Amino acid sequence: MAEQVPALGTGWRRLDGWLCRRSYRQAIALYDRYAAGPPAAPEWVVGCVAAAVFGLAVRLGLAVCLTLGGWLCTRHFPSLNVIPGLVLCGGAVFLWPRAPRISRYAAALDRAEAPDLYALAGRIAAALGAPAPHVIHVDDRFGADVVTHGPLRRRHLILGIPLLAALTPPHRVALLAVQLARFRTRDLLHGPFIGGTDATLEALTAVLTPGPARTPRAAHDTRIVAASMGASIGTGGLGLNLNGGLVWISELVWMPVATVLRSGLTVLRLCGAALVRPTAHRTEYFSDAVAAAVAGTASTIDVLDAMLSAEVLVPRLRALARANQPTSAWPDATGQILADGDERVHRRRSSARREISPLGTRLPLGLRASMLASRPDTPPALTLDHTDNRRIDENLAHHYRQTARDLANGSPLG
């Protein structure tokens, strides 16, 4: 089966393939470098400094656009200066770097609603030497994440109910440890200067990317030409709408300019990812090592492999939900899937090939699990007893029932 090469916007499939292979080789070289010695805390290097300077320049440029737009809107008001002023203000607001947003489908848990889960998160954060989350959210994803959101940099822990319900008590400790450990080192790459810059470049690239009906190839399709130019094709011939034709022609003239600008933005994103990727991978490896020291190496590897087995595990959970099996039977299904060691190794290798992107810096789950598996095994320093685990299940019983009902009805996970 031929390897699928993701489209990166360069316009040349061979170049896209070369960039993907280069990113994979860089990730493997970083894996070999960090596997040779003990994990070290990430620190500021040339790549991070360059990314911070570029992120600051982007923010200053957008601030200048916002200031200039406000000045044009108020100068000789009312006048035609309002139009470019509004364009500059709107563009600056639209492109301003922002932290990742929390899904509107994620439900925030009150401390009175889930006191035992908050207590467990606080214990694990203290053992990690990381700050505790301000708010814990639950949603219907088979995964988990942490987000630093808002001007006050409030910390949010997001847990997927399907994943949480399918884990045993040691695995739950490992899941929270893996996520909360990122609060210890996350500010380096997601601080006020670096974080969100790539999202701004991605949004600007999307604005400059033409739709499928606005490409040179579409100019040879009479149906697309007729629809774009406001024409009607029939027995009466081709009747043209002047306004539609001018818009279509102006788009064709603008396309070469947009292609040049889009290529420059893609080069910036590629260079930024190549500079930041070593620190990003080092941060992930260090966070996993810290989490394994608290939750145990074996449980931490199992959690990473469980998230990696979503394509196999979710259908199993869906079958249990349709058979009216209680959620207490879900951890047994997870254990059965994790018992196949050969499949776990295969999924790790596939993850490394599939998840590495020239435009991304996130470390694949497969490489993270393989790195922990290559290190000496450490016992857990913190455990969750069955009484506290049962109380957590009681606090989240409503969310468990809703998730089981959604799985039984065939609803896709978020």
Side-chain angles (χ1 to χ4, degrees):
M1 183 176 181
E3 181 181 358
Q4 295 183 353
V5 178
L8 304 177
T10 63
W12 294 282
R13 183 175 177 83
R14 290 188 177 182
L15 179 58
D16 292 346
W18 178 82
L19 291 172
C20 290
R21 290 190 295 270
R22 185 186 180 280
S23 300
Y24 177 78
R25 289 193 297 266
Q26 183 186 19
I28 297 302
L30 293 172
Y31 175 89
D32 295 336
R33 181 199 305 176
Y34 298 140
E43 57 186 9
W44 284 95
V45 293
V46 176
C48 291
V49 174
V53 171
F54 178 73
L56 180 60
V58 169
R59 287 161 173 80
L60 289 177
L62 293 176
V64 170
C65 291
L66 185 62
T67 304
L68 180 59
W71 178 75
L72 288 175
C73 289
T74 58
R75 184 173 182 268
H76 302 306
F77 183 83
S79 65
L80 294 178
N81 293 333
V82 174
I83 298 177
L86 291 177
V87 171
L88 287 174
C89 290
V93 173
F94 173 73
L95 297 175
W96 189 267
R98 297 177 178 87
R101 296 182 178 180
I102 301 174
S103 173
R104 60 177 180 176
Y105 301 107
L109 297 177
D110 189 77
R111 290 185 179 270
E113 180 184 359
D116 299 281
L117 183 58
Y118 272 95
L120 177 62
R123 290 170 51 202
I124 295 174
L128 293 169
H134 292 100
V135 184
I136 298 179
H137 304 258
V138 293
D139 58 12
D140 60 350
R141 297 180 304 163
F142 192 84
D145 198 5
V146 290
V147 175
T148 303
H149 189 69
L152 299 180
R153 308 293 293 172
R154 290 175 61 85
R155 296 175 297 276
H156 299 260
L157 171 63
I158 307 173
L159 299 174
I161 287 295
L163 176 60
L164 185 65
L167 298 178
T168 60
H171 292 159
R172 292 183 176 183
V173 174
L175 175 65
L176 268 66
V178 166
Q179 300 303 324
L180 295 178
R182 294 165 58 189
F183 282 141
R184 181 171 171 175
T185 55
R186 189 173 176 83
D187 288 339
L188 193 60
L189 294 179
H190 298 80
F193 296 138
I194 300 180
T197 304
D198 184 71
T200 296
L201 298 179
E202 183 180 5
L204 188 55
T205 303
V207 172
L208 297 174
T209 301
R214 297 184 176 92
T215 60
R217 183 175 298 180
H220 299 283
D221 192 325
T222 56
R223 293 171 297 179
I224 295 179
V225 173
S228 301
M229 299 182 67
S232 59
I233 299 180
T235 56
L238 183 67
L240 296 180
N241 183 304
L242 180 59
N243 292 332
L246 291 177
V247 171
W248 187 75
I249 293 174
S250 63
E251 288 177 346
L252 288 181
V253 174
W254 163 249
M255 279 175 54
V257 179
T259 300
V260 174
L261 296 176
R262 189 170 65 250
S263 300
L265 292 173
T266 302
V267 171
L268 285 177
R269 295 185 63 196
L270 290 171
C271 294
L275 289 173
V276 174
R277 188 177 292 116
T279 302
H281 287 197
R282 184 177 181 179
T283 301
E284 294 279 4
Y285 287 136
F286 178 75
S287 299
D288 290 341
V290 173
V294 173
T297 303
S299 297
T300 306
I301 295 175
D302 288 344
V303 166
L304 295 177
D305 283 335
M307 290 190 289
L308 201 55
S309 306
E311 295 181 356
V312 181
L313 186 53
V314 171
R316 186 77 61 88
L317 300 181
R318 195 182 301 276
L320 291 175
R322 289 175 175 173
N324 293 324
Q325 294 293 326
T327 54
S328 58
W330 291 9
D332 295 334
T334 304
Q336 294 174 4
I337 292 177
L338 295 180
D340 192 342
D342 294 337
E343 282 296 324
R344 293 173 66 169
V345 174
H346 174 70
R347 281 191 288 267
R348 292 173 192 172
R349 294 175 178 174
S350 301
S351 167
R353 283 286 186 181
R354 183 179 62 253
E355 298 179 20
I356 293 177
S357 169
L359 297 177
T361 59
R362 194 69 180 267
L363 182 62
L365 290 172
L367 290 180
R368 294 169 62 185
S370 299
M371 177 65 76
L372 288 178
S374 66
R375 298 190 180 279
D377 184 52
T378 57
L382 189 149
T383 58
L384 174 65
D385 58 40
H386 291 283
T387 302
D388 293 338
N389 184 69
R390 178 176 54 81
R391 291 175 180 172
I392 291 175
D393 289 337
E394 292 174 355
N395 297 152
L396 302 177
H398 168 69
H399 299 282
Y400 286 176
R401 289 193 297 269
Q402 182 178 356
T403 299
R405 183 169 58 250
D406 292 342
L407 284 173
N409 293 334
S411 300
L413 300 183

